[in-house]
């Protein structure tokens, strides 16, 4: 079974993920899978103790689940994790025409963007931004302060004047940030 | 810290004063009132005077921020020492006040090493232990031999002055003492450079751990030199290798032994709090002396004593003692360092010990730089195959360049026996030059180099709000993904160790009150938190009151009380924004707003867990907020999960729940397994409110010291009304059955790795703040998980434990309980008939009646009489612990 899945991943997984990494991730997957049914539920993720002290923990858990689903299989698990593979030097040059790899800059950004964008309208509204801010900021900041921060953030990024941050604006405002590095984990080579 | 010259000067000094002294003596015989007693106080007086001079000099240096931002303090101190030494030389016509090796090793070095060991970011240290050990052992060996052999080669080639009479062994000896990276110098320079913490810990850890190698090589070669090359047998080489293991492992063992003793002793100091800090310093120092006595590595002994005892000591001693230990240690280490550098400068003036040879000096400088670079590159090549985060080229450059030599090398070279080592004077001169070169030239240039190479710093400026915000989000995302991936390779062994620690060590070394607090989830990030504990407490008052005041609004964040509280807080918050730098840079109103917002954000954004650990700094006790942050985040997360959960199971709380949560919850609900009949019906209808009481923390920070343990209360209510804010007491009796939901073990507790045995379920909380947080989290976590578990898990698996649990909960909770009479002796379950009454009378802090009921801390440990057992349909679980056991 393990081997089958590994082979499966080799075939279907576009970026070159090494065999040992897949087995390692698979064993992690199975260790998380308390129900032992080959899929992870939200509760499986919520059992990871460190996530409980991560302010965005639950948002990230949700990012693993496709729209309207409550289970994620190993392939979906890997697909989400693939966003965090670092971009290797040889990948930059080759295969410009092919489908964009999951770990491209734009996909990395989109992953982050989706964490904000709860209603999936491709815009971060003030409310959505406020919710994330409230999660990330300590309790000793007032709602008014947060509100003004959110306003300022949107104003800073907003170009078309709709009082919301679209994905294009999101990319634009982060163009100076080394997203490739900040959204990569070396483990997932 | 008596300097060699002190005595000489004193003799002469008294000689000079002899005249007046004689007069005074004569006068004293007459009057008996005043007597010149310089001779009796001269030693401590001179010591104090030197420390005073050095400290005043530090103040002067820091008057100008510009100078200290460019020139490291260690450079300034050496230069000051040079100046003072010059003055002394000019006045006394003879160099005085040397850095005496014995004094250096016995008095000046221990505080620095203890400080670095005790405040070592231990998790970071053990994360990189492989790399640190490799660089410390292999790197130092390589440097010693390569430098020694290369210098010998130069000598053989006839490039050196014929006055340098040295053989291969002499050069190897010199190589061994000159090649060790010095912890004092590294610390002094690196803590001002602020490179990223991995880089820092590797260089710093190496400088600490290479002591064993240096000591062994130095001793072995020293004895070889003394024996003479003709008398060395093959067995001596074997002995040398064996002695390396003996010295390093023995030193470590001594350190561990004393750490154990120290922890054990502090377990019993409850009634003599005042001498707790003394024990810490005394035993660590005795560890150092003991290791030195049997010629083991004393630096290793103190380092490991500090690293290992900290966890238990911090848990045992009181909060004030913690603060005392921290400040005393920092003060001692800082003054030691100051004096070391100043005396290095002063010692260098003594030209009588110098014998200059240009080839030797230049050759040594070249070789130590070259071989260190080569060694670092080669070792990193190998290490990077195993490291999760490889060290890139820039890191390697900084590591090579950061190999500073310092006072240890100087003291060792002074210790050489001039009769045996013919070229001692040349070696002394070379060592002084090398030390000065590395500390001054490399110390001065490493900052620009780091900037120029764009080495990852530990701090960086964010130009826009968006970038700041989103990058924080990125960091959190990465941290979460790393946790999901289970990216920690060494975790297995850490877990093993922690289980051992929990089962045996902690029970033995920690007070019961302290030990009870830390199990299960707390273990996971205990190491992260412990270092921040003191500073957390230091600034706890304000923050915690905020946290506590925010509590009443837990079910609904946007309630009135919240906004009033936050209004209150905002004033102080905005006050904090106006620091000097912000004002300076303000140009327009818009800029000012920006700056203020940046400031607010920077101050209060949660830091990502992994990356947050700042590096070690001796002089600045940074107020970390990790613990408070963890607690807040945890509370919020749990609240969100519970809200989701509530709105999933029943839409009673709809008025209070956020829309998004309901949405999430409904989605979840549609996929849930329908409830099995084994789940008690009330559970489905009962929102579980996890109360995390932070009362103790606040009172603790305001009151002087309350050592008694207090109960922490988790209230699980069967009534929705409380959450919905209805105040009618009559409607409280909604719950159909007087059942108990102990947050007792479910399936999860048996399966999850961090869940412990069920006997641990009784919650014991002491008022010591640092230990409260984890329990809050842990229990809240347990409870939320068990409540989620019990609903979500399939019936078949759940039946057994559930049944057992509900039939005899008390027994399971308290296996050793003999009677159930006194509520404060154990955790117990009670069915108070007048909860609403008693709650009102008990909790007088919160203004709102409803919130009182939710909040009610139920300090039954203090007021046990208030709880009247009954069979009222409301149930209430209390976990209490006796104030006095």
């Amino acid at each position: 079974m393990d081997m089958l899945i590994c082979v499966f991943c080799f075939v279907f997984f576009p970026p070159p993920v090494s065999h040992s990494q897949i087995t390692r991730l698979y064993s992690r997957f199975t260790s998380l899978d308390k129900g032992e049914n080959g899929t992870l539920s939200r509760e499986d993720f919520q059992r990871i103790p460190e996530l409980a002290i991560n302010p965005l923990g639950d948002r990230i858990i949700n990012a693993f689940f496709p729209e309207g689903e409550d289970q994620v299989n190993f392939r979906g698990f890997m697909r989400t994790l693939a966003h965090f593979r670092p971009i290797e030097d040889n990948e930059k040059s080759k295969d410009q025409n092919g489908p964009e790899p999951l770990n491209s800059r734009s996909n990395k950004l989109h992953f982050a963007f989706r964490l904000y964008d709860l209603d999936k309208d491709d815009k971060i509204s003030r409310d959505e931004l406020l919710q994330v801010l409230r999660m990330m900021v300590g309790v000793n900041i007032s709602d008014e302060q947060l509100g003004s921060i959110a306003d300022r953030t949107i104003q800073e990024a907003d170009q078309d004047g709709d009082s919301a941050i679209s994905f294009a604006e999101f990319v634009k405002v982060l163009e100076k940030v080394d997203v490739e590095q900040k959204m990569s984990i070396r483990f997932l080579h | 810290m008596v300097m060699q010259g002190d005595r000489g000067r004193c003799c002469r000094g008294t000689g000079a004063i002899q005249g007046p002294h004689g007069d005074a003596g004569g006068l004293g015989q007459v009057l008996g009132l005043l007597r010149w007693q310089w001779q009796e106080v001269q030693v401590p007086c001179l010591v104090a005077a030197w420390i005073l001079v050095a400290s005043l000099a530090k103040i002067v240096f820091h008057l100008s921020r510009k100078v200290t931002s460019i020139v490291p303090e260690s450079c300034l101190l050496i230069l000051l020492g040079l100046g003072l030494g010059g003055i002394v030389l000019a006045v006394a016509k003879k160099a005085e006040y040397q850095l005496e090796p014995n004094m250096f090793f016995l008095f000046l070095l221990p505080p620095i090493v203890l400080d670095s060991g005790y405040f070592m970011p231990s998790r970071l240290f053990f994360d990189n232990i492989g790399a640190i050990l490799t660089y410390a052992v292999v790197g130092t060996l390589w440097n010693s031999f390569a430098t020694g052999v290369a210098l010998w080669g130069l000598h053989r080639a006839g490039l050196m002055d014929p006055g340098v009479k040295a053989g291969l062994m002499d050069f190897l000896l010199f190589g061994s003492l000159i090649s060790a990276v010095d912890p004092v110098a590294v610390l002094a320079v690196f803590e001002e450079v602020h490179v990223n913490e991995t880089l820092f810990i590797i260089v710093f850890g190496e400088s600490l751990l290479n002591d064993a190698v240096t000591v062994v090589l130095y001793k072995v070669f020293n004895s070889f030199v003394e024996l003479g090359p003709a008398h060395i047998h093959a067995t001596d080489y074997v002995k040398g290798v064996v002695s390396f293991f003996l010295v390093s492992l023995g030193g470590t063992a001594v350190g561990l032994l004393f750490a154990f003793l120290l922890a054990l002793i502090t377990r019993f100091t409850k009634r003599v709090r005042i001498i707790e800090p003394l024990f810490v310093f005394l035993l660590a120092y005795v560890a150092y002396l003991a290791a030195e006595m049997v010629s083991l590595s004393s630096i290793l002994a103190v380092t490991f004593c500090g690293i290992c005892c900290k966890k238990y000591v911090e848990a045992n001693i009181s909060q004030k003692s913690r603060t005392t230990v921290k400040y005393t240690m920092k003060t001692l280490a800082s003054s030691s360092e100051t004096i070391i550098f100043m005396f290095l400068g002063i010692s260098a003036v003594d030209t009588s010990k110098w014998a200059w040879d240009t080839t030797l000096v230049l050759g040594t400088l070249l070789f130590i730089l070259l071989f260190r670079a080569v060694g670092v590159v080669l070792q990193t090549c190998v290490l990077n195959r195993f490291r999760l985060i490889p060290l890139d080229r820039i890191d390697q450059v900084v590591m090579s360049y950061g190999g500073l030599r310092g006072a240890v090398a100087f003291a060792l070279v002074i210790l050489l026996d001039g009769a045996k080592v013919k070229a001692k004077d040349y070696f002394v001169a070379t060592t002084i030059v090398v030390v000065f070169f590395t500390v001054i030239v490399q110390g001065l240039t490493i900052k620009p180099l780091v900037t120029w190479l764009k080495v990852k710093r530990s701090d960086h400026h964010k130009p826009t709000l968006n970038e700041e915000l989103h990058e924080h989000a990125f960091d959190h995302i990465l941290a979460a993904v790393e946790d999901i991936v289970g990216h920690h390779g060494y975790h297995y062994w850490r877990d093993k160790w922690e289980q051992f620690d929990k089962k045996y060590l902690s029970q033995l070394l920690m007070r019961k009150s302290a030990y009870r607090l830390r199990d299960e989830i707390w273990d996971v990030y205990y190491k992260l938190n412990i270092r921040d504990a003191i500073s957390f407490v230091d600034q706890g008052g304000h923050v915690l009151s905020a946290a506590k005041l925010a509590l009443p609004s837990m079910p609904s964040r946007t309630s009135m009380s919240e906004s009033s509280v936050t209004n209150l807080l905002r004033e102080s918050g905005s006050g904090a924004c106006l620091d000097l730098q912000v004002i300076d840079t303000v140009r327009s109103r818009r800029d000012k707003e920006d700056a203020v917002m940046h400031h607010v954000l920077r101050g209060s954004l949660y830091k990502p867990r992994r990356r947050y650990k700042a590096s070690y700094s001796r002089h600045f006790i940074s107020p970390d907020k990790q613990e408070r942050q963890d607690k807040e985040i945890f509370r919020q997360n749990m609240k969100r999960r519970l809200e989701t959960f509530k709105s999933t199971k029943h839409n009673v709380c709809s008025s209070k729940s956020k829309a998004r949560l309901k949405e999430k919850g409904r989605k979840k609900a549609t996929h849930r397994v329908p409830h099995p009949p084994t789940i008690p019906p009330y559970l489905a209808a009962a929102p579980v409110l996890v109360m995390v009481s932070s009362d103790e923390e606040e009172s603790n920070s305001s009151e002087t010291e309350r050592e008694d343990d207090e109960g922490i209360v988790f209230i699980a209510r069967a009534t929705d009304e409380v959450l919905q804010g209805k105040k009618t007491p009559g409607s409280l009796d909604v719950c159909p059955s007087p059942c108990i939901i102990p947050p007792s073990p479910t399936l999860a507790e048996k399966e999850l790795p961090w869940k412990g045995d069920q006997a641990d379920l009784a919650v014991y909380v002491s008022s010591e703040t640092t230990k409260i947080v984890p329990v809050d989290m842990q229990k809240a976590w347990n409870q939320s998980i068990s409540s989620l578990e019990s609903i979500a898990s399939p019936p078949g698996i759940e039946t057994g434990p559930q049944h057992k649990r509900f039939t005899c909960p008390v027994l399971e909770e308290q296996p050793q309980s003999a009677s159930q009479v006194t509520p404060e002796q154990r955790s117990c379950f009670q069915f108070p008939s007048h909860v609403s009454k008693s709650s009102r009378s008990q909790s007088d802090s919160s203004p709102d009646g409803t919130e009182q009921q939710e909040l009610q801390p139920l300090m039954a440990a203090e007021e046990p009489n208030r709880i009247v057992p009954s069979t009222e349909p409301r149930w209430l679980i209390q976990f209490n612990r006796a104030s006095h056991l």
Side-chain angles (χ1 to χ4, degrees):
Chain A
M1 182 61 188
D2 288 20
M3 279 314 292
L4 258 181
I5 286 178
C6 290
V7 169
F8 174 81
C9 281
F10 260 130
V11 175
F12 290 99
F13 219 72
V17 180
S18 78
H19 180 271
S20 66
Q21 276 152 5
I22 291 178
T23 34
R24 201 165 350 173
L25 285 174
Y26 186 70
S27 76
R28 175 71 180 169
F29 181 85
T30 44
S31 76
L32 287 177
D33 179 19
K34 296 295 174 202
E36 292 180 352
N37 48 6
T39 58
L40 294 182
S41 63
R42 281 190 166 78
E43 282 78 13
D44 288 329
F45 281 104
Q46 285 173 353
R47 271 194 213 95
I48 301 170
E50 289 91 347
L51 283 188
I53 54 163
N54 192 316
L56 297 179
D58 289 352
R59 293 280 177 113
I60 290 152
I61 292 173
N62 283 336
F64 276 84
F65 295 92
E67 182 82 32
E69 281 179 42
D70 210 19
Q71 301 283 322
V72 58
N73 60 13
F74 184 58
R75 195 180 168 200
F77 183 72
M78 289 295 278
R79 185 164 274 283
T80 311
L81 289 182
H83 286 100
F84 298 97
R85 257 174 19 92
I87 303 171
E88 274 154 43
D89 294 338
N90 54 5
E91 281 177 56
K92 278 176 189 158
S93 48
K94 71 170 187 188
D95 121 69
Q96 298 285 344
N97 322 322
E100 204 176 3
L102 280 170
N103 61 346
S104 72
R105 178 186 172 93
S106 135
N107 271 328
K108 281 175 193 294
L109 280 175
H110 203 248
F111 184 90
F113 186 80
R114 282 195 310 251
L115 292 190
Y116 291 91
D117 183 23
L118 281 178
D119 56 8
K120 310 271 191 307
D121 63 350
D122 266 339
K123 274 193 173 74
I124 302 175
S125 69
R126 184 175 183 274
D127 263 359
E128 287 164 344
L129 190 63
L130 259 184
Q131 282 177 23
V132 175
L133 267 174
R134 180 44 86 188
M135 288 180 195
M136 299 210 311
V137 164
V139 287
N140 52 347
I141 287 207
S142 72
D143 286 346
E144 290 102 290
Q145 272 179 309
L146 271 192
S148 59
I149 290 174
D151 286 338
R152 166 77 60 181
T153 311
I154 289 177
Q155 187 191 335
E156 201 178 80
D158 195 15
Q159 288 170 330
D160 53 9
D162 62 351
S163 297
I165 304 175
S166 67
F167 183 61
E169 287 160 355
F170 187 77
V171 172
K172 180 87 172 67
V173 87
L174 290 175
E175 64 183 349
K176 291 202 189 93
V177 179
D178 186 9
V179 179
E180 289 88 344
Q181 192 236 324
K182 284 188 190 296
M183 287 282 281
S184 297
I185 298 179
R186 293 191 193 254
F187 174 71
L188 299 168
H189 268 298
Chain B
M1 192 217 38
V2 185
M3 302 306 145
Q4 199 173 33
D6 287 359
R7 292 216 178 85
R9 178 189 166 143
C10 294
C11 296
R12 268 195 341 283
T14 43
I17 302 166
Q18 202 56 51
H21 180 261
D23 292 348
L27 204 67
Q29 277 170 3
V30 177
L31 290 175
L33 288 176
L34 289 170
R35 218 148 51 84
W36 184 250
Q37 292 189 327
W38 165 248
Q39 221 159 0
E40 285 164 42
V41 296
Q42 60 178 349
V43 173
C45 208
L46 280 172
V47 171
W50 278 118
I51 297 178
L52 188 67
V53 167
S55 310
L56 287 177
K58 267 191 155 178
I59 296 181
V60 174
F61 297 156
H62 283 278
L63 282 181
S64 162
R65 191 174 289 184
K66 207 173 175 185
V67 171
T68 43
S69 68
I70 299 172
V71 187
E73 208 179 73
S74 48
C75 295
L76 291 172
L77 281 170
I78 282 193
L79 294 177
L80 172 78
L82 274 176
L84 287 178
I87 293 172
V88 171
L89 189 69
V91 171
K93 305 277 186 270
K94 190 182 163 220
E96 305 286 353
Y97 308 106
Q98 295 291 313
L99 186 62
E100 177 112 333
N102 276 334
M103 298 308 147
F104 171 74
F105 283 118
L106 285 183
F107 299 112
L108 291 177
L109 194 55
I112 297 178
V113 180
L114 175 62
D115 174 68
S116 27
Y118 195 76
F119 293 108
M120 176 81 73
S122 56
R123 168 148 185 174
L124 200 57
F125 179 75
F126 286 111
D127 275 2
N128 295 294
I129 188 78
I132 291 172
L133 275 179
T134 314
Y135 289 120
V137 177
V138 182
T140 311
L141 281 175
W142 154 257
N143 282 346
S144 303
F145 280 100
T147 313
V149 171
L151 285 175
W152 180 66
L154 275 186
H155 185 253
R156 293 279 289 181
L159 293 171
M160 272 184 210
D161 188 88
V164 185
K165 292 194 184 74
L168 176 60
M169 280 304 157
D170 299 82
F171 280 114
L172 284 177
L173 174 61
F174 179 63
S176 75
L177 67 89
I178 201 72
S179 60
V181 177
D182 184 71
V184 186
V186 164
L187 258 186
V189 169
F190 267 69
E191 72 181 14
E192 295 184 27
V193 176
H194 305 297
V195 294
N196 60 73
E197 55 261 40
T198 313
L199 199 52
F200 174 81
I201 201 75
I202 287 178
V203 177
F204 177 48
E206 177 202 340
S207 71
L208 274 178
L209 297 195
N210 68 15
D211 174 64
V213 184
T214 312
V215 166
V216 171
L217 284 180
Y218 180 79
K219 280 182 182 153
V220 168
F221 288 133
N222 208 4
S223 55
F224 282 0
V225 168
E226 286 175 8
L227 279 174
H231 305 285
I232 302 169
H233 304 291
T235 49
D236 292 329
Y237 296 105
V238 180
K239 275 184 194 163
V241 175
V242 173
S243 79
F244 164 69
F245 287 102
L246 203 65
V247 164
S248 53
L249 297 180
T252 312
V254 168
L256 294 181
L257 177 72
F258 277 90
F260 182 83
L261 275 180
L262 178 53
L264 201 62
I265 287 177
T266 53
R267 197 187 154 177
F268 302 106
T269 51
K270 186 164 184 174
R271 303 196 186 280
V272 278
R273 290 288 196 204
I274 197 73
I275 55 169
E276 277 171 346
L278 182 69
F279 278 121
V280 176
F281 291 106
L282 210 57
L283 276 170
Y285 191 51
V286 172
Y288 185 90
L289 294 180
E292 190 87 327
M293 190 172 65
V294 289
S295 65
L296 299 174
S297 168
S298 45
I299 292 187
L300 277 186
V302 173
T303 306
F304 278 96
C305 182
I307 293 179
C308 299
C309 75
K310 189 182 183 192
K311 171 178 176 179
Y312 310 106
V313 169
E314 296 267 287
N316 283 337
I317 65 179
S318 75
Q319 160 200 334
K320 283 189 171 177
S321 301
R322 277 194 286 270
T323 315
T324 312
V325 167
K326 182 174 187 172
Y327 277 93
T328 317
M329 223 175 251
K330 295 274 172 200
T331 310
L332 282 179
S334 181
S335 33
S336 285
E337 188 196 82
T338 309
I339 290 181
I340 287 173
F341 280 116
M342 202 171 72
F343 272 93
L344 265 182
I346 293 178
S347 309
V349 176
D350 184 8
T351 45
S352 66
K353 288 180 184 166
W354 280 57
W356 182 270
D357 179 64
T358 314
T359 318
L360 181 63
V361 169
L362 291 182
T364 311
L365 275 181
L366 174 74
F367 289 141
I368 60 167
L369 284 173
L370 178 73
F371 289 131
R372 177 157 176 93
V374 171
V376 164
V377 170
L378 288 181
Q379 289 172 79
T380 314
C381 263
V382 178
L383 279 174
N384 272 351
R385 291 168 191 268
F386 303 101
R387 280 183 67 83
L388 294 174
I389 302 165
L391 297 158
D392 54 25
R393 291 234 173 77
I394 290 173
D395 290 343
Q396 292 173 30
V397 170
V398 175
M399 279 168 60
S400 316
Y401 202 68
L404 306 177
R405 271 66 163 180
V408 172
F410 179 76
L412 286 177
V413 81
I414 294 286
L415 271 182
L416 286 178
D417 184 0
K420 300 273 169 48
V421 187
K422 299 286 190 310
K424 181 187 172 185
D425 289 352
Y426 290 97
F427 289 158
V428 170
T430 313
T431 308
I432 288 178
V433 171
V434 166
V435 169
F436 276 44
F437 179 83
T438 53
V439 172
I440 295 180
V441 176
Q442 284 177 244
L444 270 175
T445 49
I446 197 163
K447 219 171 195 174
L449 182 79
V450 163
T451 321
W452 182 63
L453 288 174
K454 299 192 184 70
V455 176
K456 263 185 286 172
R457 299 292 195 98
S458 49
D459 55 344
H460 33 82
H461 182 70
K462 305 280 166 39
T464 70
L465 270 180
N466 270 290
E467 287 177 11
E468 175 135 3
L469 177 62
H470 300 319
E471 284 187 17
H472 258 90
F474 291 165
D475 287 344
H476 287 309
I477 292 169
L478 270 204
V481 172
E482 281 183 4
D483 292 331
I484 288 173
V485 169
H487 162 290
H488 331 285
Y490 75 111
H491 257 201
Y492 174 76
W493 292 110
R494 232 167 55 93
D495 279 354
K496 286 276 165 205
W497 160 252
E498 271 162 7
Q499 275 173 17
F500 171 77
D501 175 62
K502 195 176 110 189
K503 269 188 188 157
Y504 306 105
L505 274 184
S506 292
Q507 281 190 1
L508 187 63
L509 296 179
M510 283 192 192
R511 294 197 182 145
K512 282 230 166 61
S513 55
Y515 168 69
R516 295 286 184 181
L517 290 166
R518 34 175 324 276
D519 47 6
E520 300 180 8
I521 198 175
W522 174 225
D523 281 353
V524 176
Y525 44 75
Y526 184 84
K527 280 178 184 159
L528 274 177
N529 290 346
I530 188 80
R531 198 170 65 89
D532 312 326
I534 299 169
S535 39
F536 169 65
V537 172
D538 283 349
Q539 51 147 11
H542 170 74
V543 167
L544 283 170
S545 64
K548 191 217 164 194
L549 285 169
L551 259 178
S553 54
M554 258 182 74
S556 59
R557 273 192 304 246
T558 52
S559 70
M560 279 306 288
S561 69
E562 165 89 350
S563 56
S564 66
V565 165
T566 46
N567 273 336
L568 219 151
L569 287 171
R570 188 163 46 116
E571 287 165 22
S572 56
S574 56
C577 305
L578 302 170
D579 74 2
L580 208 62
Q581 276 176 317
V582 171
I583 292 171
D584 282 344
T585 53
V586 163
R587 292 284 178 273
S588 66
R589 191 169 162 273
R590 191 191 156 86
D591 278 355
K592 188 176 169 184
E593 273 175 30
D594 260 352
V596 168
M597 277 185 195
H598 268 293
H599 220 78
V600 172
L601 262 187
R602 178 156 309 185
S604 51
L605 273 173
Y606 290 135
K607 308 289 186 296
R609 188 170 61 82
R610 195 71 46 76
R611 275 140 233 256
Y612 184 64
K613 285 280 127 183
S615 61
Y616 170 97
S617 165
R618 172 164 335 124
H619 303 294
F620 306 104
I621 300 167
S622 56
D624 284 343
K625 297 170 188 159
Q626 180 82 18
E627 185 146 353
R628 170 179 67 83
Q629 169 187 327
D630 279 356
K631 191 175 121 191
E632 274 177 32
I633 298 173
F634 185 85
R635 188 183 292 150
Q636 285 172 14
N637 276 348
M638 280 306 127
K639 190 175 67 191
R640 273 195 289 274
R641 282 189 194 170
L642 286 170
E643 276 175 7
T644 315
F645 168 71
K646 275 181 282 182
S647 54
T648 305
K649 303 325 295 172
H650 40 81
N651 291 327
V652 280
C653 299
S654 53
S655 64
K656 298 286 179 186
S657 299
K658 297 257 171 202
R660 64 182 173 88
L661 290 171
K662 276 195 299 183
E663 191 181 277
K664 228 162 75 179
R666 282 199 206 102
K667 211 186 287 172
K668 232 173 169 178
T670 53
H671 293 272
R672 273 270 165 72
V673 188
H675 292 302
T678 46
I679 301 296
Y682 63 83
L683 188 58
V688 178
L689 172 62
V690 179
M691 279 306 312
V692 180
S693 162
S694 62
D695 267 13
E696 292 91 337
E697 293 154 32
E698 205 213 357
S699 58
N700 201 39
S701 57
S702 56
E703 286 180 24
T704 50
E705 193 173 313
R706 223 164 60 194
E707 288 301 333
D708 295 337
D709 301 324
E710 289 171 11
I712 184 167
V713 181
F714 297 99
I715 309 167
R717 263 167 225 256
T719 49
D720 311 333
E721 281 73 18
V722 178
L723 285 174
Q724 291 184 332
K726 289 181 192 170
K727 293 181 186 178
T728 44
S731 67
L732 289 174
D733 310 338
V734 170
C735 181
S737 62
C739 289
I740 297 156
I741 308 180
S744 48
T746 52
L747 197 56
E749 311 227 20
K750 291 173 182 126
E751 290 181 3
L752 298 184
W754 67 86
K755 304 250 177 195
D757 46 341
Q758 298 168 12
D760 284 341
L761 274 167
V763 182
Y764 295 102
V765 177
S766 92
S767 60
E768 292 184 34
T769 320
T770 48
K771 290 167 250 155
I772 270 172
V773 182
V775 171
D776 291 351
M777 295 188 193
Q778 173 216 322
K779 294 312 294 183
W781 165 261
N782 269 353
Q783 212 158 13
S784 71
I785 277 293
S786 61
S787 60
L788 288 174
E789 277 285 322
S790 56
I791 283 168
S793 49
I797 310 165
E798 196 68 31
T799 313
Q802 282 262 346
H803 180 66
K804 190 185 163 200
R805 205 170 67 220
F806 285 117
T807 47
C808 51
V810 175
L811 281 179
E812 205 171 276
E813 291 278 322
Q814 281 293 105
Q816 82 277 21
S817 70
S819 73
Q820 301 172 17
V821 185
T822 46
E824 65 269 55
Q825 284 291 332
R826 66 188 61 84
S827 67
C828 58
F829 309 102
Q830 296 174 5
F831 315 99
S833 60
H834 311 296
V835 175
S836 50
K837 242 189 258 171
S838 62
S839 69
R840 250 170 240 149
S841 53
Q842 277 171 20
S843 63
D844 41 9
S845 55
S846 73
D848 191 310
T850 313
E851 284 164 1
Q852 273 178 27
Q853 291 172 356
E854 290 172 22
L855 241 193
Q856 59 173 351
L858 289 179
M859 295 304 186
E862 290 164 353
E863 303 170 296
N865 302 330
R866 303 220 180 205
I867 294 149
V868 185
S870 84
T871 50
E872 200 80 7
R874 292 189 71 225
W875 44 266
L876 174 70
I877 305 164
Q878 287 187 322
F879 302 96
N880 278 315
R881 183 158 188 251
S883 306
H884 307 282
L885 281 176

